[in-house]
Amino acid sequence: MTLTISYQLFLEQFVQQLLNGLFLGSIYALIALGYTMVYGVLRFINFAHGDVFMLGAFSGLYLNKWLAPMLTTLPWPASVALVLVLSMIICGALGIIIEFLAYRPLRDKPKLNVLITAIGVSLFIEYTCQLIFGATQQPFPVLIPKSNIAGIGGLTVTNVQVIVLVTAFALMLGLRFIVMGTRLGLAMRALSLNPTASSLMGVNNGVVISFTFGLGSALAAAGGILYASLYPSIEPFMGITPGLKAFVAAVLGGIGNIPGAALGGLIIGVVETLVAGYSQSLGVPSGYKEGVAFVILILILIFKPSGLLGKVEREKV
Amino acid sequence: MKTLLSRISLLAAALPLLSSPSCKDSGGGPAATEIVIGEVAALTGGTATFGQSSHAGTQMAVDEINASGGLLGKKVKLVTEDDQSKQGEAGTVVKKLLSREKAVAILGEVASGKSLEMAPICQKAGIPMISPASTNPKVTEVGDYIFRICFIDPFQGTVMAKFALSRGWKKVAIVTDVKQDYSVGLSDFFKKYYTANGGTIVSEQSYSSGDKDFKAQLTALRGSAPDAIFASGYYNEAGLMAVQAHELGINAPMLGGDGWDSPSLTQVAGKAMEGNFFSNHFAAEDASPVIQDFVKKFTAKHKSAPDAMAALGYDSMMILAAAIKKAGTTEGKAVRDAIASTKDYQGITGKITLDEKRNATKPAVILTIKDGKFVYVETLAP
């Protein structure tokens, strides 16, 4: 099969597939950051994170509807930025509320209790949204007027994809600045190292944890809007699969490690796309892309158990 | 301990009751002044627009029947259960309709996968079931109480293959939803007819329902330069696929089956859907008076034109009503025989005759998408 295609065509197709994977992966990366931050600070997996991602997409949809008279008077980059920032604020607040109501009362309880609660919160959000928004898929409005950017050779990239990628990277860099360059970020890192010591040093752990949830949820909301811009059909259960993949991405990159989560997200996006794209040559139907992609991930984890960029942690006995 | 024992013995006594078919006393339901018809439809979830439309059609038929005096001197009561578009749920709700509501006949589902869940249950209970729109052949093969009033996948796949060949498209790429019996069936029969009559399948791709990213599959098939793409899945994925094909600069038209028939198709895809084709059961702009009369009545009630699912839902109820009238009873066996003898029934979706395999034979229409609307192209006979 591949022999009949010319080398140049093959190369062109390969680069196109890499690009496809990169765009998809950048969104997984954004969601993965939220998982990793919460884990880094609190040592637990916030399973409701994928649902905050969904809420982000829905708040984008409704903000766009309600603010329509005002948004139409603005140039589209301004209206996109406005919708994005407002959704991030809404979801950031929701993240803080979720933490305050569901997780804070369990702060000193066994980790398993919090984990189960997280699954409960996730299901609660999904079904509440199904009740409010309905279970049918809804078309997501066109926030960014689409146009094809003709690349080199036969490569095709749309401006939406470029904007998604740039926004995702800008947000990741912004996050890096917050964590590495601000006092609050310093407090987050201190809390992550040792909660007791950090509170003795005058860090208000409660505030820092709220802030972490808010920040992670805001990133998930941005991910939701960017995802819905690429795939303009949204429904209350849309967060499950991307959320699961982002969680795996966070583990793959080394959970608790911020650049690791970004790297893991990109890898999953690319691997999944390549498997789907070359399934005919591989001899598996492209519908099984996730299966193959996850087998590859398991292999990586067998050889690097703490993830690609994760620190090897010795269990203290 | 004593209560536990008595509970167990009660349960044991109840078991044979549960497993024995409840058809023997059908007609003597909760209220003898009503005829209860059960309907299973996806009112929410992934294929919700199908269920909502077919339900609207069925309900309209019931209202008309009741307005003109009902059936056998009784009112028809339609009990509708929502299966949330979920696999597994259709079987549960149909059991409820049979045991609790004592339905004398079942209408539904639209999706073949769900009809296949319901069919063995109705067959075992001896209650006739009419699916308005399940096109997978296996559905009616379950047993002699299972009917459908639409054409089947071999026909629909063949029609689209015929159509592609008539347009001079010699190379086609196929994209199949591996999770849907419907899509797999359509792709199979398309391939069979198309390759047997001189066409070449240049690429075969697949995905699972709920996927949102098809760029990898589309990039792969773009390399094989197809004249057309046969996307045999449902509207949601087809819409997203059209958008992404457009972005990748693929200009080959997309072809689909009746699973595309939903307003969501163009809402999601917008301009990217223009110039694509799909086969369907019914075209609202068909000039025949039967259809125009139905369109007028439906539009007056629902403020929107009926789609094929609404027309099929309407026809399924009307055929059932005609059969009950003919049988003169609601007893399962008699109604079954009356449905089986349906011949040349002039429905909204064409002249319907049920063959010995309990499938309807009737023509299909090809529609195209133009300015965001479904436009009639041609009618292809079986």
Side-chain angles (χ1 to χ4, degrees):
Chain A
M1 185 70 199
T2 41
L3 285 175
T4 55
I5 317 170
S6 75
Y7 178 69
Q8 198 197 341
L9 197 68
F10 172 79
L11 196 71
E12 193 184 293
Q13 193 172 332
F14 185 74
V15 175
Q16 179 76 54
Q17 296 287 26
L18 276 185
L19 283 175
N20 295 343
L22 199 64
F23 296 126
L24 187 63
S26 62
I27 293 172
Y28 291 155
L30 266 188
I31 317 171
L33 289 173
Y35 276 111
T36 247
M37 279 200 317
V38 168
Y39 184 86
V41 171
L42 284 179
R43 307 276 158 207
F44 100 95
I45 309 292
N46 179 17
F47 278 109
H49 195 63
D51 303 299
V52 178
F53 164 86
M54 174 270 295
L55 287 170
F58 270 98
S59 44
L61 173 75
Y62 281 92
L63 280 172
N64 196 61
K65 216 178 264 176
W66 292 330
L67 300 179
M70 191 183 81
L71 290 178
T72 44
T73 62
L74 294 171
W76 68 262
S79 63
V80 172
L82 190 68
V83 169
L84 191 70
V85 170
L86 284 178
S87 306
M88 285 171 74
I89 292 172
I90 291 172
C91 289
L94 273 172
I96 291 170
I97 293 170
I98 291 171
E99 192 273 331
F100 187 80
L101 293 179
Y103 305 142
R104 187 158 298 201
L106 298 169
R107 181 78 41 86
D108 303 318
K109 301 288 183 304
K111 288 277 180 280
L112 194 63
N113 297 14
V114 194
L115 202 72
I116 302 292
T117 309
I119 296 172
V121 170
S122 165
L123 290 171
F124 175 77
I125 295 177
E126 281 159 19
Y127 285 92
T128 312
C129 286
Q130 181 177 324
L131 214 61
I132 299 171
F133 304 130
T136 42
Q137 278 91 347
Q138 301 187 30
F140 193 76
V142 182
L143 296 176
I144 307 165
K146 204 173 276 175
S147 65
N148 271 20
I149 301 170
I152 317 144
L155 298 181
T156 41
V157 172
T158 63
N159 61 340
V160 179
Q161 290 174 315
V162 175
I163 290 167
V164 165
L165 194 69
V166 170
T167 315
F169 273 94
L171 287 168
M172 285 184 234
L173 286 177
L175 176 70
R176 188 162 173 81
F177 169 74
I178 290 175
V179 174
M180 303 307 286
T182 61
R183 280 177 62 88
L184 213 47
L186 187 68
M188 274 168 70
R189 283 180 289 144
L191 180 61
S192 159
L193 272 178
N194 189 329
T196 323
S198 76
S199 75
L200 287 174
M201 292 300 122
V203 172
N204 186 337
N205 284 0
V207 170
V208 174
I209 288 169
S210 292
F211 178 73
T212 309
F213 265 89
L215 200 58
S217 301
L219 287 178
I225 289 184
L226 296 179
Y227 190 77
S229 298
L230 281 181
Y231 314 111
S233 161
I234 65 173
E235 38 106 12
F237 295 95
M238 67 181 273
I240 299 176
T241 320
L244 193 68
K245 285 179 191 162
F247 167 57
V248 177
V251 175
L252 177 71
I255 192 133
N257 183 307
I258 288 173
L263 183 69
L266 292 178
I267 289 179
I268 293 204
V270 170
V271 168
E272 196 186 292
T273 311
L274 287 182
V275 171
Y278 291 99
S279 58
Q280 256 181 339
S281 331
L282 293 172
V284 284
S286 37
Y288 298 106
K289 58 176 183 181
E290 274 133 29
V292 180
F294 278 87
V295 166
I296 295 172
L297 300 180
I298 291 170
L299 289 179
I300 293 178
L301 287 178
I302 287 175
F303 294 105
K304 288 225 44 141
S306 53
L308 291 172
L309 300 182
K311 287 184 296 243
V312 182
E313 269 181 61
R314 290 244 166 73
E315 281 290 319
K316 288 181 202 117
V317 186
Chain B
M1 193 63 200
K2 200 180 169 195
T3 49
L4 188 70
L5 264 176
S6 66
R7 264 190 207 160
I8 289 171
S9 58
L10 225 145
L11 201 70
L15 269 176
L17 279 176
L18 281 172
S19 58
S20 78
S22 55
C23 67
K24 281 166 194 113
D25 58 343
S26 60
T33 55
E34 291 177 328
I35 292 177
V36 178
I37 309 287
E39 187 199 19
V40 181
L43 300 178
T44 56
T47 54
T49 66
F50 292 161
Q52 287 163 3
S53 281
S54 72
H55 172 64
T58 312
Q59 187 64 54
M60 201 168 113
V62 169
D63 293 347
E64 278 176 26
I65 292 164
N66 283 338
S68 60
L71 276 178
L72 312 178
K74 294 172 189 169
K75 287 266 177 237
V76 175
K77 185 183 165 203
L78 185 71
V79 181
T80 307
E81 285 287 341
D82 177 16
D83 62 35
Q84 302 163 35
S85 304
K86 276 188 202 150
Q87 214 66 39
E89 196 67 24
T92 314
V93 296
V94 83
K95 275 181 198 148
K96 187 173 152 199
L97 285 173
L98 293 179
S99 60
R100 175 130 31 105
E101 304 290 345
K102 303 267 184 276
V104 299
I106 297 291
L107 298 174
E109 232 269 1
V110 170
S112 297
K114 271 149 240 151
S115 291
L116 278 168
E117 268 174 37
M118 294 157 54
I121 298 164
C122 293
Q123 176 69 27
K124 202 173 160 207
I127 295 289
M129 164 178 150
I130 304 179
S131 163
S134 291
T135 51
N136 190 299
K138 284 186 223 151
V139 172
T140 49
E141 283 165 14
V142 169
D144 59 349
Y145 277 78
I146 316 301
F147 299 88
R148 83 178 97 217
I149 56 145
C150 55
F151 44 65
I152 53 177
D153 288 344
F155 175 62
Q156 204 175 185
T158 311
V159 157
M160 284 325 278
K162 238 185 220 175
F163 176 72
L165 289 166
S166 76
R167 293 264 160 155
W169 297 327
K170 292 286 179 199
K171 293 193 296 177
V172 165
I174 296 185
V175 190
T176 309
D177 183 346
V178 288
K179 249 191 192 166
Q180 301 288 348
D181 293 338
Y182 162 76
S183 175
V184 174
L186 228 62
S187 292
D188 270 359
F189 292 109
F190 182 93
K191 203 162 100 184
K192 226 173 261 169
Y193 186 87
Y194 192 68
T195 49
N197 290 280
T200 317
I201 306 291
V202 288
S203 180
E204 278 182 70
Q205 303 292 331
S206 61
Y207 63 91
S208 335
S209 318
D211 278 3
K212 295 221 155 82
D213 184 80
F214 308 101
K215 280 242 159 95
Q217 289 94 323
L218 291 168
T219 303
L221 70 82
R222 188 177 66 170
S224 60
D227 296 329
I229 301 164
F230 185 54
S232 57
Y234 289 113
Y235 58 88
N236 224 315
E237 287 83 10
L240 287 171
M241 209 182 290
V243 173
Q244 292 168 30
H246 204 66
E247 287 174 6
L248 283 169
I250 298 173
N251 293 318
M254 277 171 60
L255 312 174
D258 61 329
W260 280 23
D261 184 31
S262 159
S264 285
L265 187 76
T266 45
Q267 280 167 8
V268 168
K271 277 205 200 93
M273 213 65 213
E274 296 285 301
N276 293 342
F277 300 91
F278 66 98
S279 60
N280 210 348
H281 307 267
F282 149 92
E285 69 248 43
D286 195 319
S288 85
V290 192
I291 293 182
Q292 283 316 312
D293 189 41
F294 172 72
V295 171
K296 210 182 292 164
K297 278 188 291 184
F298 191 93
T299 314
K301 194 165 175 188
H302 295 280
K303 310 274 173 280
S304 66
D307 56 12
M309 297 306 153
L312 287 168
Y314 183 86
D315 275 356
S316 67
M317 183 61 220
M318 283 307 191
I319 285 182
L320 177 64
I324 291 177
K325 212 176 269 173
K326 196 162 144 194
T329 166
T330 55
E331 193 268 319
K333 177 85 173 61
V335 174
R336 189 220 84 88
D337 292 345
I339 301 173
S341 66
T342 302
K343 197 164 185 292
D344 289 334
Y345 176 86
Q346 184 57 57
I348 307 300
T349 59
K351 213 168 240 170
I352 299 167
T353 298
L354 292 177
D355 62 16
E356 72 281 5
K357 284 178 173 159
R358 300 167 301 283
N359 298 322
T361 43
K362 58 185 194 180
V365 296
I366 307 280
L367 303 176
T368 186
I369 294 99
K370 205 178 162 199
D371 302 324
K373 289 200 175 69
F374 298 154
V375 179
Y376 173 74
V377 181
E378 58 185 291
T379 302
L380 284 174

